[in-house]
Amino acid sequence: MATKNIQFLKEILQKEGLRFTRQRLAVWQEIETSKKHLDADDIFISIRSKGMKVSRATVYRTIDVLLKYNLLRKLDMGDGRNRFESKIDEEHHDHMICIETGDIIEFYNSRLEKLQEKIVHEKGYELVRHVHQLFVRPIKK
Amino acid sequence: MATKNIQFLKEILQKEGLRFTRQRLAVWQEIETSKKHLDADDIFISIRSKGMKVSRATVYRTIDVLLKYNLLRKLDMGDGRNRFESKIDEEHHDHMICIETGDIIEFYNSRLEKLQEKIVHEKGYELVRHVHQLFVRPIKK
DNA sequence: GTTGTTGCAAATACTTTGCAACTAT
DNA sequence: ATAGTTGCAAAGTATTTGCAACAAC
C-alpha cells in the first residue's frame, strides 16, 4: 500500500512535468501515514526527527503542489493553523468539530454528496473539491 | 434597518457585559453594509478612509467578539486571507467558488440544511455553525 | 548538461500582546 | 470612580521569496 501510493505520487508528478524528489516523497508520506491532522510545522519537525534533511520552505512548497493536484485536503479547524490530510486511499469524509472538547468526528453521507453535485450542476459548474465542516456542541441532557 | 442592526449589536454587547464603543460599531457597520467579503485590513482601511480613528488591533479584537457571538461568518476562499461577512439580516447561504475565475456564487438549499442537522443530531450534538464551500469549475462545452 | 528543486536566511504578511491613556457605564 | 477598551509599537506566527548550490532527468 505504501508502495502503491509512492507510485501514485510519482505518476502525478511526472504527468505534470515535476520532479520526484526525496523531499516531496517525505512530505507526502508524513501526511499519508499520519493518523492525525498535521500542520506544516508538524510535518517539518517529523521529517527532521527521522534524520532527513528538509527545509520549511520545501514543506510549504510541497504542500502547495499536493494541494494543487488534489492529493491533500486543507482543514481550518478555527484555531488559526491550517492542517492537512490525505485524500488518497480513504473514503472521502467531512468533519464535525466539537467547539467544547475540540473532538473531530469524521462523517460521510451519500445523500449530501449527491446533493452537492446537483447544486453545482444546476449553476453550470462541475465540482472540483469542497470544504464542509460542522461546528457542534454536545446536546445537554 | 441600519438602526435596527445597531440596536442588535448594542443588545448583544450589553447582554455579554461588553461595552458599546464607536470602534465596535464601526467595524460592525463596515461588514454589515459591505456588498463584498472583506478581510481585516479592508475593514481597517475603510474605517480610516472615512476619517475615523481605529487601530488594526481593535479591528482584530472586534472581529473576535463578533465571531464569538455569531454575528459574523469567517470565510477561507483558499487565497490565504480570512474574509468576513455578516450573518444578520440576510438569508443564510453557503458559497461556490470558481477556481478559474474567482467568482463567488452564493447558494442556499433547504434539503442540505436539514440533512446537516440530521447528521449532527444522530451523533448526539447540536449544530452551532458550519462552513460549506464548493470549489468549482465551469463546465466546458 | 540542462533545468527544476532545495536550503538558507531574509523578507513579508498576518495576528496577538503589554501597557499607559482613554472612555463607557 | 471604576473597570473595560483603545492605540501604539513591539513581539509572535505563519508563509513566501531570491539566489546559489544541488540533484533529477
Side-chain angles (χ1 to χ4, degrees), chain A residues 74 76 78 82 96 98-99 103 105-107 109 111-112 115-116 118-121 123-140, chain B residues 74 76 78 82 96 98-99 103 105-107 109 111-112 115-116 118-121 123-140:
Chain A
K74 179 166 118 181
D76 176 359
N82 289 320
M96 287 172 50
C98 179
I99 59 175
D103 289 349
I105 302 112
E106 299 182 342
F107 72 89
N109 182 294
R111 278 180 59 205
L112 193 58
L115 201 45
Q116 289 183 130
K118 185 163 166 280
I119 290 166
V120 167
H121 289 151
K123 300 270 186 186
Y125 292 90
E126 60 178 319
L127 186 58
V128 176
R129 61 189 178 84
H130 71 268
V131 174
H132 198 177
Q133 295 169 331
L134 307 178
F135 293 83
V136 302
R137 179 165 42 210
I139 293 176
K140 300 167 188 77
Chain B
K74 179 167 116 181
D76 176 0
N82 289 320
M96 287 171 50
C98 179
I99 58 174
D103 287 351
I105 302 112
E106 300 181 342
F107 72 89
N109 182 296
R111 279 180 60 205
L112 194 58
L115 201 43
Q116 289 183 133
K118 186 163 166 279
I119 290 165
V120 166
H121 289 152
K123 301 271 187 186
Y125 292 90
E126 61 177 319
L127 186 58
V128 176
R129 63 190 177 85
H130 71 268
V131 174
H132 198 178
Q133 294 168 332
L134 307 177
F135 293 84
V136 302
R137 180 165 40 212
I139 293 176
K140 298 167 189 77

Side-chain angles (χ1 to χ4, degrees), chain A residues 37 73 75 85-87 90-96 104-109 113 130-132:
Chain A
H37 300 108
R73 183 177 299 125
L75 308 168
E85 68 176 17
S86 170
K87 289 178 73 171
E90 56 169 72
E91 298 285 314
H92 160 69
H93 61 259
D94 294 306
H95 298 88
M96 287 172 50
I104 296 171
I105 302 112
E106 299 182 342
F107 72 89
Y108 175 82
N109 182 294
E113 301 295 322
H130 71 268
V131 174
H132 198 177

